[in-house]
Amino acid sequence: MRNFNEHNITEAVLARLDASRSSRVKEISGALVRHLHAFVREVRPTQDEWQQAIAFLTRTGQVCSDTRQEFILLSDALGVSMLVDAINHEFPGGATETTVLGPFYVADAPEVSAGATIGKQEDGPTMLIEGRVLDTAGSPISGAIVDIWHADADGYYDVQKSPTAYSGRGRVKTDAQGNFWLWGTLPAAYPIPDDGPVGEMLGLQGRHPYRPAHVHFMIAAEGCETLVTHLFLASSDYLDSDVVFGVKDSLIEPVIEVSPGKTPYGAVVETSVPAMRREFILAPRTRPRE
Ligand code: BEZ
Ligand code: FE
């Protein structure tokens, strides 16, 4: 077939997908072609705008490195990451809600014991991070791995300051009662990296680049879906305008002041300190671990 025009090209491209290697490849490729073509028909870009779009995607790839993933940031800032998260995490029975992983997760964060200090003194004021991990029946989960990471009081993650000197992150196991506690830092709200194409896009769209202050959690336990979530500080700015659309009411917690003594989660507190505490509920695993 030849002589393609605005009216027949979409069907022609779709017809070329008939020999796709699997029905899933055909389904995904077909949807991509249909939606891309519909987008172009709606926007009717000039040749110059089309060149600008190609240049934008080229720059997005060019700034990616081992420590920077501009395409994930683009997906985050366009709400695509939260949409994928929502589609994949319709957990039943009161399980804790999920939110975006973000680009500052590190797979080999230091393993630490309960009561460890994960924030350096120069990172800012100390904050106790404590809680319990339970299943949907309300039974405590012992031996769950609680991976915690957060920005410092200036809004920077350790990996943004030095790729190897970890601070503000650690992996702690829950005890026999499902409890965990660590000494971290009171984190600040921060802008996502906005000195690249995604920052340019936000500027053109008249948007700010900020995320409200939060602490990240990834919690894994045998027989349960791994939970990827945050706790947002209730006092933070930007709760209603998170640049990556990650805030859910159920994930907002106040920073409380804990008095000296032993807390319900086993933390030993010597002088009054700010704290975030939370009971996390893991959904039962319904699919094999990836
Ligand atoms: C984060 O919370 O670490 C994050 C999430 C999405 C984009 C940038 C940062
Ligand atoms: Fe973050």
Side-chain angles (χ1 to χ4, degrees):
M1 198 181 162
R2 301 176 187 174
N3 307 315
F4 299 113
N5 59 37
E6 184 180 339
H7 307 289
N8 63 11
I9 185 135
T10 304
E11 283 312 312
V13 180
L14 291 174
R16 298 266 175 105
L17 302 176
D18 283 348
S20 294
R21 292 265 171 93
S22 72
S23 56
R24 184 67 172 153
V25 169
K26 186 173 173 186
E27 180 188 357
I28 292 172
S29 304
L32 179 67
V33 168
R34 279 186 280 104
H35 288 275
L36 262 181
H37 286 213
F39 172 81
V40 172
R41 281 196 184 86
E42 178 181 330
V43 171
R44 305 195 79 75
T46 62
Q47 286 296 146
D48 187 49
E49 285 170 335
W50 183 241
Q51 289 298 337
Q52 285 183 44
I54 299 289
F56 174 82
L57 290 176
T58 304
R59 287 197 305 282
T60 300
Q62 283 166 340
V63 301
C64 288
S65 68
D66 286 350
T67 53
R68 175 142 183 182
Q69 231 305 348
E70 196 76 0
F71 277 111
I72 294 186
L73 219 51
L74 184 59
S75 157
D76 295 337
L78 290 175
V80 176
S81 303
M82 275 309 288
L83 179 57
V84 173
D85 180 74
I87 287 168
N88 285 282
H89 296 108
E90 285 172 3
F91 291 156
T96 302
E97 290 194 284
T98 56
T99 189
V100 280
L101 177 67
F104 301 122
Y105 169 70
V106 164
D108 64 348
E111 285 176 29
V112 297
S113 309
T117 300
I118 60 167
K120 291 203 186 103
Q121 211 172 358
E122 64 262 31
D123 289 350
T126 298
M127 179 174 77
L128 173 64
I129 304 170
E130 63 172 3
R132 180 173 295 152
V133 180
L134 306 156
D135 63 21
T136 47
S139 304
I141 303 178
S142 143
I145 311 283
V146 184
D147 204 328
I148 297 175
W149 66 107
H150 59 66
D152 65 16
D154 292 324
Y156 290 99
Y157 285 85
D158 51 1
V159 289
Q160 293 177 287
K161 297 181 280 186
S162 151
T164 48
Y166 294 152
S167 95
R169 70 178 70 236
R171 276 192 290 163
V172 63
K173 261 191 192 162
T174 55
D175 67 14
Q177 286 75 47
N179 295 334
F180 68 90
W181 62 288
L182 287 177
W183 296 107
T185 302
L186 201 57
Y190 62 84
I192 62 170
D194 64 344
D195 56 348
V198 172
E200 262 171 60
M201 178 190 80
L202 293 173
L204 287 168
Q205 293 173 344
R207 294 166 61 188
H208 73 68
Y210 282 88
R211 299 215 65 207
H214 57 274
V215 178
H216 291 257
F217 294 84
M218 180 186 284
I219 306 181
E222 214 37 62
C224 295
E225 293 287 342
T226 296
L227 172 66
V228 175
T229 196
H230 310 350
L231 292 182
F232 294 94
L233 280 62
S235 55
S236 181
D237 290 334
Y238 310 112
L239 287 169
D240 285 311
S241 62
D242 180 7
V243 65
V244 304
F245 308 94
V247 180
K248 294 177 177 175
D249 284 341
S250 70
L251 301 178
I252 300 174
E253 286 289 352
V255 175
I256 55 172
E257 198 66 21
V258 173
S259 316
K262 201 161 181 180
T263 75
Y265 303 100
V268 183
V269 176
E270 278 163 13
T271 52
S272 200
V273 280
M276 288 202 94
R277 64 167 55 142
R278 176 64 171 229
E279 300 202 340
F280 293 94
I281 301 176
L282 302 195
R285 189 172 308 145
T286 52
R287 51 198 161 189
R289 206 186 267 284
E290 282 157 17

